[in-house]
Amino acid sequence: MSNNTLTKAEIVDNIYEKSERNRAEVKTQVETMLDIMKDAIKKDHSLLISGFGKFEAYEKDARKGRNPQTSESIILSERKVVVFRISRKLRAELNPQ
């Protein structure tokens, strides 16, 4: 398994190399797209990108936990979490048979 991670800067570089736009324009467009995605997840609690997957936000209830350093019992507050569910099409591409 590889530890390579595609960064936002690398996405900007990849789009820049394949487009006629300057790097500043590409960076602004990537940041705008990410802002739209974040707003959709915050507002609608889901974001579907056809052929790629779906991001879904949901509430997690408060629950008991444990501090691993002290073994002290604590209460973890309720919070929102986001999960990603891969599309069938992309899953088939990742796992050809």
Side-chain angles (χ1 to χ4, degrees):
M1 186 164 184
S2 175
N3 284 337
N4 294 336
T5 301
L6 181 64
T7 66
K8 182 169 64 171
E10 290 169 333
I11 292 170
V12 169
D13 288 343
N14 282 315
I15 295 172
Y16 169 73
E17 290 169 7
K18 296 175 183 176
S19 73
E20 300 292 321
R21 304 206 183 275
N22 68 45
R23 187 172 264 109
E25 287 177 315
V26 172
K27 182 178 179 189
T28 299
Q29 289 176 335
V30 168
E31 289 177 353
T32 300
M33 183 190 74
L34 292 172
D35 286 342
I36 291 168
M37 293 172 71
K38 286 188 276 187
D39 289 344
I41 292 169
K42 287 178 190 176
K43 179 179 152 207
D44 302 327
H45 301 288
S46 68
L47 169 68
L48 174 65
I49 302 174
S50 186
F52 183 71
K54 185 175 187 178
F55 295 90
E56 292 180 291
Y58 67 94
E59 301 278 342
K60 268 192 133 174
D61 293 333
R63 63 186 175 91
K64 287 183 181 179
R66 185 180 60 82
N67 181 331
Q69 292 177 335
T70 64
S71 295
E72 175 187 0
S73 290
I74 57 174
I75 299 295
L76 299 169
S77 59
E78 62 182 35
R79 63 194 185 280
K80 288 184 182 178
V81 296
V82 176
V83 295
F84 176 73
R85 301 186 197 293
I86 192 169
S87 74
R88 288 182 191 163
K89 181 179 178 182
L90 182 54
R91 180 176 287 124
E93 290 176 21
L94 290 173
N95 300 297
Q97 294 185 11

